[in-house]
Amino acid sequence: MDVGSSAAAELWQAASEGRFRLSPEAARECAAHFEWFAGTVAERQREVRDLERLTGFGGFDSAQQLQQGFQRKANQAVDALKATEEAAWRMKAAVLRAAGLLEEVDAANAGALRAIEGAQS
């Protein structure tokens, strides 16, 4: 599932090659939006993680199967949200790269790594 990672990679490539440029002010403005989005997605992950530990379905086999199905869906949702968060951080890095703000790029890439690892961002 591509949740923006290919777009982030393309934007990074364009910024690296100089085909995409921004002023530092514009880059920081865009970057702030991507960071906000990454934080929002991280919050949704915490909410969905609660669904990974569902209880109260009863002891019937069909109830257990239903519970396991919901838990699998929650796991899939968390994976998709982690990938989305990573893509947001990568987009932030790309727009900062387009302005030559390399120290800030490093911090954004660190955020992407935290998202991959599942750490709070």
Side-chain angles (χ1 to χ4, degrees), residues 73-114:
K73 291 295 182 187
N75 290 334
Q76 291 170 350
V78 167
D79 289 344
L81 289 167
K82 282 171 58 175
T84 302
E85 181 187 0
E86 178 195 0
W89 284 107
R90 298 280 182 209
M91 292 294 279
K92 177 181 178 178
V95 297
L96 293 169
R97 175 71 177 96
L101 301 170
L102 301 182
E103 288 181 19
E104 294 174 55
V105 168
D106 289 342
N109 282 327
L113 292 175
R114 285 191 305 274

Side-chain angles (χ1 to χ4, degrees), residues 24-72:
E25 297 80 22
R28 286 187 178 109
E29 175 74 21
C30 290
H33 292 285
F34 285 118
E35 185 170 347
W36 171 84
F37 183 67
T40 299
V41 172
E43 183 62 33
R44 296 299 81 76
Q45 286 178 58
R46 287 185 284 279
E47 293 169 0
V48 173
R49 283 187 200 283
D50 291 339
L51 301 175
E52 292 176 315
R53 298 173 297 279
L54 294 174
T55 60
F57 281 79
F60 291 114
D61 286 340
S62 60
Q64 293 300 311
Q65 291 171 2
L66 184 62
Q67 177 182 357
Q68 291 167 0
F70 280 123
Q71 289 171 333
R72 274 193 305 278

